[in-house]
Structure formats: C-alpha cells, structure tokens
Amino acid sequence: MNAAKKYAFEDFAPGTRFALGPYPVTAEEVIEFAREFDPQPMHLDEAAGRQSLLGGLAASGWHTSAMMMRMLCDAFLLDSTSLGAPGVDQARWKRPVLAGDTLHGLTEVVSARPSASRPGVGIVRMSHEIRNQRDELVVASVNSGFFAMRQRPEAA
C-alpha cells in the first residue's frame, strides 16, 4: 500500500514487541487534561490528590490511556499502515499515575490474521503494559487494530 511506511500488517507477527516511552508526566499536563476532560479534585489539585485514595496529583485514567496512545504512536503507529481500531477489549488502570512519574512500557502482538471481509487488510491483536519509573504496572490494555497489507491479495 504505502511503501513509505515501515510497518505493515506483515510485520506484526505474534510475539513481536515494541518498546514504549519514556514519557515524563508533568503536573501542568495532568491539570490541563483534567480541566478539559475530567475535572475531579484529585486531578486538579495536589492537596486534594494527597487526601484522596490516589496519594497525590494524579492523572485521570483516561489521561493515562491517552498517554499510552501517544507512546504507541511514537513507537510504531505513525510509521505504520494503521487504519484505526474497532475498540478496546480491556483497559485496567492498576495504579495511579502521579505528576512527576516517568512512564515506559511494552506492546506485544498477540495474534494477527487477514480480514475475512476486507481484502488487503489484516487484524492485529496487541497487549500493552505501561509501568512507572519504579517498574510498577500502571495500566494494562488489550485491543485489536486494522493494518493495510503491503500487497493486496490476488482476487480468487
């Protein structure tokens, strides 16, 4: 399809891994995201965050997922034939992400198969784990994505 892209469906064999990050989390970013999308006190104010179950100024789970998406884009998606995704099968926020944390992670291809209904498109299922600087798991996610093939299969 697009020869300029490094990764096409054929490059996503089960077991293939991509390193993610590092991604530094700033207080300014946590507050900015919260003001726009999740204005709960523990995401807007350090003192309120300390008094909450989260233990400090914490990123919203949705913000954590958005940061993971940024890391996926930087690691491989923007240099791929990605055609989007049908959704997220699993997303588990395991620990709070606090201002000052630095995130990193790993994506692993779980399975890959050609689409039965869309010639030239493959479906890739991936699992993602994001950890903080103490190597504590903060989010685990599983989803499938659509990727164009380098070569469209010949019509039968």
Side-chain angles (χ1 to χ4, degrees):
M1 178 172 177
N2 186 341
K5 297 293 184 178
K6 182 175 180 180
Y7 301 107
F9 169 73
E10 295 85 349
D11 299 305
F12 295 100
T16 302
R17 293 179 171 192
F18 296 92
L20 307 175
Y23 187 95
V25 181
T26 68
E28 295 78 20
E29 162 184 28
V30 169
I31 293 167
E32 181 180 338
F33 186 96
R35 279 189 183 133
E36 181 75 16
F37 301 107
D38 191 354
Q40 297 182 75
M42 69 285 249
H43 306 315
L44 292 168
D45 179 72
E46 176 70 36
R50 277 194 308 274
Q51 293 172 358
S52 77
L53 296 174
L54 303 177
L57 180 63
S60 161
W62 300 111
H63 184 194
T64 300
S65 293
M67 289 183 276
M68 179 180 73
M69 187 68 206
R70 178 77 238 189
M71 289 188 281
L72 292 168
C73 286
D74 291 346
F76 65 91
L77 278 179
L78 293 179
D79 199 15
S80 78
T81 60
S82 174
L83 300 170
V88 175
D89 300 316
Q90 175 185 320
R92 303 245 186 235
W93 302 316
K94 306 298 275 185
R95 293 182 92 75
V97 171
L98 302 176
D101 281 353
T102 299
L103 305 179
H104 67 280
L106 185 69
T107 289
E108 183 169 352
V109 175
V110 175
S111 64
R113 65 176 176 81
S115 170
S117 61
R118 296 176 188 244
V121 174
I123 301 168
V124 179
R125 186 170 171 83
M126 300 178 185
S127 69
H128 319 283
E129 288 191 347
I130 305 299
R131 297 177 178 276
N132 62 22
Q133 67 279 4
R134 291 176 299 282
D135 211 35
E136 298 166 330
L137 183 64
V138 297
V139 67
S141 183
V142 177
N143 76 288
S144 296
F146 302 121
F147 292 86
M149 296 177 179
R150 281 197 181 85
Q151 300 277 326
R152 187 178 173 111
E154 296 295 323

